[in-house]
Amino acid sequence: MCGTTQGSRVVLSLSRRTEPYFYAERLAALLLARYPPERVHTVVVWTKFPETVLLKLRTVLSMYSQVYVHLTVTGLGGTLVEPRVARPEAVLAQIPPLVEFLGDPRRLRVRTDPLVMLRRNGKVFSNLETAVQVIRAAAAMGVTAFSASFVELYPKVQRRLLCRGWEAVPLTPEERERVWEKLSAAAAATGAVLYGCCVPGTPVSRCIDGELLSALHPAGERCRVDKAKGQRALCGCTHSIDIGWYNMTCPSGCLYCYANSAV
C-alpha cells in the first residue's frame, strides 16, 4: 500500500510532453511546490539527455524515494534528423553513472524510438540498423528493458518534412516485421526484452507500469495500477500525472517530433 491507501502517493511523469533538460529549473520548482516527496511514489523521467538526471535535476530528484528513467537513444543524435541531440556513443557512455544514481538497472529503460527512414537530396537517414547497435551497447551495460515504435507521420510532421525538403520513406508491413524481429532478437540475445510502444501486432505494453514501480519501490510501497485515461488504444500505461506542457517547446530540432508545432 502507498501510505494507508493504495494510490495515495502519485506517480509523476516528467514528461511525455516536452524535454525536461531544457526546463529543468522550472520543473524542479513545480515538483517541490506541488508534489513534494511525501506525496510522490515515483518520478518517471523521459529524456534524451542523461544530464537531466545526473546534473540538472539531481539535487531535487535525490529527495524522492524512487526515480525511473526512460532514456531515448535513437542512434540519430548529431545528424540532420536530431541536430541538437548528442551522438549516441556520448549518451550511452553515461548509462553506468545513471544506473548508479537510480540504484537498480531495472529503473532504466532505453528507447530507440521512433524507428524512422527519411530521405533528403537522395541521401537516406535511418536508424533501423543503428537501433540494433544501441540495444547491444546498452544491454552490455546492464540495461534489461527497451522500447521502440515506428514514426507517426502526423500532418504537422509531414508539413515540416515537406517544407524542409525531406520525405519519409514508407516501410511495408513485411519490412516492419523484419525490423522488429531483428531488434527483438538483439535484445533477447542478451536476456533483455524489447517492448512495443503502441506498435500494432505486438503485445500491449506499459511504459509507466504501476506493478513494476511497486515491485521496485525501496520501501515496497504500492501505487495505482489502473489503466491511464486519455492514452492511445494500444497504450497499457497505468495512472500517472504528467507535469509538462506541449507549449514548453523543445529546441532539439528533431524532424519527426509531433509535440513541436514548428514548421
Side-chain angles (χ1 to χ4, degrees):
M1 304 296 283
C2 296
T4 57
T5 305
Q6 183 175 347
S8 62
R9 296 179 66 183
V10 299
V11 173
L12 294 183
S13 174
L14 183 72
S15 161
R16 283 185 172 101
R17 299 168 179 165
T18 190
E19 171 53 69
Y21 176 81
F22 299 104
Y23 298 95
E25 184 174 345
R26 181 178 172 185
L27 291 169
L30 182 64
L31 260 178
L32 293 176
R34 296 188 183 180
Y35 300 99
E38 62 270 18
R39 290 192 58 198
V40 177
H41 182 278
T42 304
V43 180
V44 179
V45 181
W46 311 67
T47 187
K48 290 184 176 179
F49 301 86
E51 298 88 348
T52 302
V53 175
L54 294 176
L55 295 175
K56 292 199 168 190
L57 290 174
R58 187 184 190 106
T59 299
V60 171
L61 291 176
S62 295
M63 302 176 186
Y64 290 80
S65 57
Q66 179 167 242
V67 179
Y68 186 100
V69 172
H70 285 277
L71 179 64
T72 297
V73 192
T74 66
L76 292 168
T79 71
L80 293 174
V81 180
E82 295 181 3
R84 287 180 287 280
V85 175
R87 295 191 62 82
E89 56 269 24
V91 178
L92 290 167
Q94 296 186 74
I95 285 180
L98 189 56
V99 169
E100 183 179 2
F101 174 80
L102 298 174
D104 190 316
R106 293 174 297 171
R107 295 193 181 109
L108 173 64
R109 184 181 296 194
V110 171
R111 310 180 66 89
T112 61
D113 56 60
L115 300 167
V116 60
M117 183 178 291
L118 302 174
R119 183 187 293 121
R120 185 188 188 202
N121 297 329
K123 184 177 181 180
V124 173
F125 292 77
S126 171
N127 65 337
L128 302 185
E129 292 295 331
T130 53
V132 174
Q133 300 168 20
V134 167
I135 289 174
R136 289 172 177 163
M141 299 179 198
V143 177
T144 60
F146 297 87
S147 283
S149 63
F150 292 94
V151 68
E152 291 283 347
L153 295 174
Y154 294 93
K156 59 185 173 184
V157 175
Q158 293 177 323
R159 290 194 297 269
R160 182 186 305 132
L161 293 174
L162 181 62
C163 289
R164 299 185 185 186
W166 292 81
E167 63 174 321
V169 180
L171 299 177
T172 66
E174 292 76 20
E175 288 171 329
R176 288 192 174 210
E177 184 175 352
R178 285 195 293 270
V179 169
W180 197 260
E181 289 176 351
K182 193 169 185 178
L183 294 176
S184 297
T190 66
V193 178
L194 174 69
Y195 296 98
C197 184
C198 296
V199 177
T202 65
V204 173
S205 66
R206 300 173 174 179
C207 295
I208 294 183
D209 184 344
E211 292 288 357
L212 176 63
L213 298 179
S214 296
L216 293 177
H217 193 275
E221 295 184 1
R222 293 192 58 78
C223 60
R224 288 178 59 171
V225 297
D226 53 306
K227 181 177 169 63
K229 296 180 180 179
Q231 299 298 331
R232 290 172 288 178
L234 292 177
C235 176
C237 283
T238 56
H239 179 81
S240 65
I241 298 173
D242 200 293
I243 62 171
W245 290 272
Y246 286 119
N247 63 2
M248 290 179 163
T249 302
C250 174
S252 294
C254 300
L255 289 175
Y256 53 75
C257 181
Y258 67 85
N260 191 338
S261 59
V263 175

mmCIF file of all heavy atoms in Angstrom, residues 15-19 23 26-27 156 243-251 258-261:
data_model
loop_
_atom_site.group_PDB
_atom_site.id
_atom_site.type_symbol
_atom_site.label_atom_id
_atom_site.label_comp_id
_atom_site.label_asym_id
_atom_site.label_seq_id
_atom_site.Cartn_x
_atom_site.Cartn_y
_atom_site.Cartn_z
ATOM 1 N N SER A 15 8.725 14.219 -18.830
ATOM 2 C CA SER A 15 7.364 14.447 -19.220
ATOM 3 C C SER A 15 7.199 13.895 -20.626
ATOM 4 O O SER A 15 8.114 13.978 -21.439
ATOM 5 C CB SER A 15 7.057 15.944 -19.192
ATOM 6 O OG SER A 15 5.924 16.264 -19.944
ATOM 7 N N ARG A 16 6.020 13.371 -20.922
ATOM 8 C CA ARG A 16 5.728 12.945 -22.282
ATOM 9 C C ARG A 16 5.606 14.141 -23.222
ATOM 10 O O ARG A 16 5.656 13.989 -24.437
ATOM 11 C CB ARG A 16 4.408 12.177 -22.323
ATOM 12 C CG ARG A 16 4.457 10.739 -21.815
ATOM 13 C CD ARG A 16 3.107 10.099 -22.041
ATOM 14 N NE ARG A 16 3.095 8.675 -21.773
ATOM 15 C CZ ARG A 16 2.629 8.130 -20.658
ATOM 16 N NH1 ARG A 16 2.178 8.929 -19.690
ATOM 17 N NH2 ARG A 16 2.625 6.828 -20.485
ATOM 18 N N ARG A 17 5.427 15.315 -22.672
ATOM 19 C CA ARG A 17 5.041 16.475 -23.483
ATOM 20 C C ARG A 17 6.190 17.384 -23.875
ATOM 21 O O ARG A 17 6.026 18.243 -24.741
ATOM 22 C CB ARG A 17 3.996 17.290 -22.717
ATOM 23 C CG ARG A 17 2.736 16.499 -22.420
ATOM 24 C CD ARG A 17 1.871 17.216 -21.427
ATOM 25 N NE ARG A 17 0.636 16.479 -21.152
ATOM 26 C CZ ARG A 17 -0.153 16.732 -20.130
ATOM 27 N NH1 ARG A 17 0.150 17.704 -19.275
ATOM 28 N NH2 ARG A 17 -1.250 16.012 -19.940
ATOM 29 N N THR A 18 7.329 17.224 -23.235
ATOM 30 C CA THR A 18 8.461 18.071 -23.563
ATOM 31 C C THR A 18 9.743 17.396 -23.127
ATOM 32 O O THR A 18 9.734 16.327 -22.516
ATOM 33 C CB THR A 18 8.345 19.458 -22.895
ATOM 34 O OG1 THR A 18 9.348 20.324 -23.428
ATOM 35 C CG2 THR A 18 8.509 19.374 -21.389
ATOM 36 N N GLU A 19 10.868 18.019 -23.431
ATOM 37 C CA GLU A 19 12.174 17.537 -22.989
ATOM 38 C C GLU A 19 12.569 18.295 -21.725
ATOM 39 O O GLU A 19 12.861 19.494 -21.762
ATOM 40 C CB GLU A 19 13.216 17.770 -24.093
ATOM 41 C CG GLU A 19 14.653 17.527 -23.699
ATOM 42 C CD GLU A 19 14.883 16.153 -23.082
ATOM 43 O OE1 GLU A 19 14.779 15.145 -23.802
ATOM 44 O OE2 GLU A 19 15.181 16.120 -21.864
ATOM 45 N N TYR A 23 14.005 22.611 -19.428
ATOM 46 C CA TYR A 23 13.112 23.298 -18.483
ATOM 47 C C TYR A 23 13.322 22.805 -17.059
ATOM 48 O O TYR A 23 12.409 22.836 -16.240
ATOM 49 C CB TYR A 23 11.651 23.098 -18.912
ATOM 50 C CG TYR A 23 11.359 23.679 -20.274
ATOM 51 C CD1 TYR A 23 11.419 22.878 -21.421
ATOM 52 C CD2 TYR A 23 11.062 25.030 -20.428
ATOM 53 C CE1 TYR A 23 11.183 23.413 -22.679
ATOM 54 C CE2 TYR A 23 10.825 25.568 -21.688
ATOM 55 C CZ TYR A 23 10.884 24.760 -22.799
ATOM 56 O OH TYR A 23 10.650 25.298 -24.044
ATOM 57 N N ARG A 26 12.482 25.214 -14.018
ATOM 58 C CA ARG A 26 11.041 25.421 -13.860
ATOM 59 C C ARG A 26 10.357 24.164 -13.335
ATOM 60 O O ARG A 26 9.508 24.224 -12.435
ATOM 61 C CB ARG A 26 10.447 25.832 -15.202
ATOM 62 C CG ARG A 26 8.949 26.092 -15.178
ATOM 63 C CD ARG A 26 8.503 26.547 -16.552
ATOM 64 N NE ARG A 26 7.048 26.640 -16.644
ATOM 65 C CZ ARG A 26 6.400 26.932 -17.782
ATOM 66 N NH1 ARG A 26 7.088 27.181 -18.892
ATOM 67 N NH2 ARG A 26 5.083 26.989 -17.798
ATOM 68 N N LEU A 27 10.731 23.017 -13.872
ATOM 69 C CA LEU A 27 10.103 21.764 -13.458
ATOM 70 C C LEU A 27 10.505 21.365 -12.048
ATOM 71 O O LEU A 27 9.702 20.802 -11.295
ATOM 72 C CB LEU A 27 10.450 20.656 -14.446
ATOM 73 C CG LEU A 27 9.808 20.808 -15.835
ATOM 74 C CD1 LEU A 27 10.414 19.812 -16.813
ATOM 75 C CD2 LEU A 27 8.301 20.632 -15.756
ATOM 76 N N LYS A 156 1.312 17.723 -39.168
ATOM 77 C CA LYS A 156 2.290 18.787 -38.956
ATOM 78 C C LYS A 156 3.717 18.283 -39.181
ATOM 79 O O LYS A 156 4.591 19.050 -39.604
ATOM 80 C CB LYS A 156 2.147 19.383 -37.561
ATOM 81 C CG LYS A 156 2.309 18.433 -36.395
ATOM 82 C CD LYS A 156 2.029 19.154 -35.089
ATOM 83 C CE LYS A 156 2.005 18.204 -33.898
ATOM 84 N NZ LYS A 156 1.647 18.910 -32.643
ATOM 85 N N ILE A 243 3.526 16.432 -15.630
ATOM 86 C CA ILE A 243 3.654 17.826 -15.199
ATOM 87 C C ILE A 243 4.383 18.699 -16.213
ATOM 88 O O ILE A 243 4.895 19.770 -15.879
ATOM 89 C CB ILE A 243 4.331 17.929 -13.818
ATOM 90 C CG1 ILE A 243 5.760 17.377 -13.859
ATOM 91 C CG2 ILE A 243 3.509 17.199 -12.769
ATOM 92 C CD1 ILE A 243 6.520 17.665 -12.577
ATOM 93 N N GLY A 244 4.434 18.243 -17.474
ATOM 94 C CA GLY A 244 4.968 19.087 -18.533
ATOM 95 C C GLY A 244 3.851 19.620 -19.403
ATOM 96 O O GLY A 244 2.682 19.223 -19.264
ATOM 97 N N TRP A 245 4.192 20.524 -20.322
ATOM 98 C CA TRP A 245 3.205 21.102 -21.235
ATOM 99 C C TRP A 245 3.780 21.115 -22.639
ATOM 100 O O TRP A 245 4.996 21.301 -22.829
ATOM 101 C CB TRP A 245 2.857 22.539 -20.828
ATOM 102 C CG TRP A 245 2.072 22.619 -19.566
ATOM 103 C CD1 TRP A 245 0.720 22.557 -19.413
ATOM 104 C CD2 TRP A 245 2.610 22.763 -18.242
ATOM 105 N NE1 TRP A 245 0.377 22.646 -18.090
ATOM 106 C CE2 TRP A 245 1.518 22.784 -17.346
ATOM 107 C CE3 TRP A 245 3.898 22.886 -17.722
ATOM 108 C CZ2 TRP A 245 1.678 22.910 -15.976
ATOM 109 C CZ3 TRP A 245 4.068 23.004 -16.359
ATOM 110 C CH2 TRP A 245 2.965 23.024 -15.502
ATOM 111 N N TYR A 246 2.908 20.948 -23.620
ATOM 112 C CA TYR A 246 3.357 20.988 -25.005
ATOM 113 C C TYR A 246 3.892 22.354 -25.398
ATOM 114 O O TYR A 246 4.682 22.474 -26.326
ATOM 115 C CB TYR A 246 2.207 20.583 -25.939
ATOM 116 C CG TYR A 246 1.907 19.108 -25.920
ATOM 117 C CD1 TYR A 246 0.665 18.634 -25.534
ATOM 118 C CD2 TYR A 246 2.870 18.181 -26.300
ATOM 119 C CE1 TYR A 246 0.381 17.279 -25.525
ATOM 120 C CE2 TYR A 246 2.607 16.822 -26.293
ATOM 121 C CZ TYR A 246 1.363 16.374 -25.901
ATOM 122 O OH TYR A 246 1.095 15.026 -25.892
ATOM 123 N N ASN A 247 3.473 23.421 -24.713
ATOM 124 C CA ASN A 247 3.994 24.739 -25.060
ATOM 125 C C ASN A 247 5.400 24.980 -24.515
ATOM 126 O O ASN A 247 5.984 26.029 -24.735
ATOM 127 C CB ASN A 247 3.044 25.853 -24.600
ATOM 128 C CG ASN A 247 2.879 25.913 -23.092
ATOM 129 O OD1 ASN A 247 3.497 25.159 -22.352
ATOM 130 N ND2 ASN A 247 2.033 26.823 -22.637
ATOM 131 N N MET A 248 5.942 23.994 -23.784
ATOM 132 C CA MET A 248 7.365 24.014 -23.425
ATOM 133 C C MET A 248 8.129 23.461 -24.633
ATOM 134 O O MET A 248 8.528 22.303 -24.677
ATOM 135 C CB MET A 248 7.630 23.154 -22.189
ATOM 136 C CG MET A 248 7.089 23.713 -20.897
ATOM 137 S SD MET A 248 7.456 22.561 -19.523
ATOM 138 C CE MET A 248 7.210 23.626 -18.112
ATOM 139 N N THR A 249 8.310 24.281 -25.636
ATOM 140 C CA THR A 249 8.851 23.821 -26.909
ATOM 141 C C THR A 249 10.289 23.326 -26.752
ATOM 142 O O THR A 249 11.140 24.028 -26.203
ATOM 143 C CB THR A 249 8.817 24.953 -27.947
ATOM 144 O OG1 THR A 249 7.463 25.394 -28.085
ATOM 145 C CG2 THR A 249 9.329 24.469 -29.288
ATOM 146 N N CYS A 250 10.537 22.141 -27.229
ATOM 147 C CA CYS A 250 11.870 21.556 -27.165
ATOM 148 C C CYS A 250 12.703 22.064 -28.337
ATOM 149 O O CYS A 250 12.298 21.947 -29.496
ATOM 150 C CB CYS A 250 11.774 20.034 -27.207
ATOM 151 S SG CYS A 250 13.389 19.223 -27.293
ATOM 152 N N PRO A 251 13.894 22.626 -28.079
ATOM 153 C CA PRO A 251 14.729 23.161 -29.154
ATOM 154 C C PRO A 251 15.687 22.139 -29.775
ATOM 155 O O PRO A 251 16.583 22.524 -30.514
ATOM 156 C CB PRO A 251 15.508 24.277 -28.449
ATOM 157 C CG PRO A 251 15.644 23.810 -27.051
ATOM 158 C CD PRO A 251 14.407 23.011 -26.747
ATOM 159 N N TYR A 258 6.337 15.211 -32.916
ATOM 160 C CA TYR A 258 4.922 15.576 -33.022
ATOM 161 C C TYR A 258 4.504 16.581 -31.968
ATOM 162 O O TYR A 258 3.437 17.205 -32.072
ATOM 163 C CB TYR A 258 4.042 14.319 -32.930
ATOM 164 C CG TYR A 258 4.057 13.642 -31.581
ATOM 165 C CD1 TYR A 258 3.208 14.064 -30.563
ATOM 166 C CD2 TYR A 258 4.938 12.597 -31.316
ATOM 167 C CE1 TYR A 258 3.229 13.452 -29.314
ATOM 168 C CE2 TYR A 258 4.959 11.985 -30.081
ATOM 169 C CZ TYR A 258 4.108 12.424 -29.083
ATOM 170 O OH TYR A 258 4.139 11.843 -27.842
ATOM 171 N N ALA A 259 5.339 16.765 -30.917
ATOM 172 C CA ALA A 259 4.990 17.697 -29.840
ATOM 173 C C ALA A 259 5.336 19.130 -30.204
ATOM 174 O O ALA A 259 4.860 20.073 -29.586
ATOM 175 C CB ALA A 259 5.702 17.302 -28.551
ATOM 176 N N ASN A 260 6.166 19.305 -31.219
ATOM 177 C CA ASN A 260 6.608 20.633 -31.635
ATOM 178 C C ASN A 260 5.805 21.040 -32.874
ATOM 179 O O ASN A 260 5.816 20.341 -33.893
ATOM 180 C CB ASN A 260 8.101 20.611 -31.958
ATOM 181 C CG ASN A 260 8.693 21.995 -32.146
ATOM 182 O OD1 ASN A 260 7.970 22.943 -32.429
ATOM 183 N ND2 ASN A 260 9.988 22.108 -31.974
ATOM 184 N N SER A 261 5.126 22.180 -32.782
ATOM 185 C CA SER A 261 4.271 22.620 -33.887
ATOM 186 C C SER A 261 5.040 23.400 -34.953
ATOM 187 O O SER A 261 4.501 23.742 -36.000
ATOM 188 C CB SER A 261 3.135 23.499 -33.364
ATOM 189 O OG SER A 261 3.651 24.639 -32.692
#
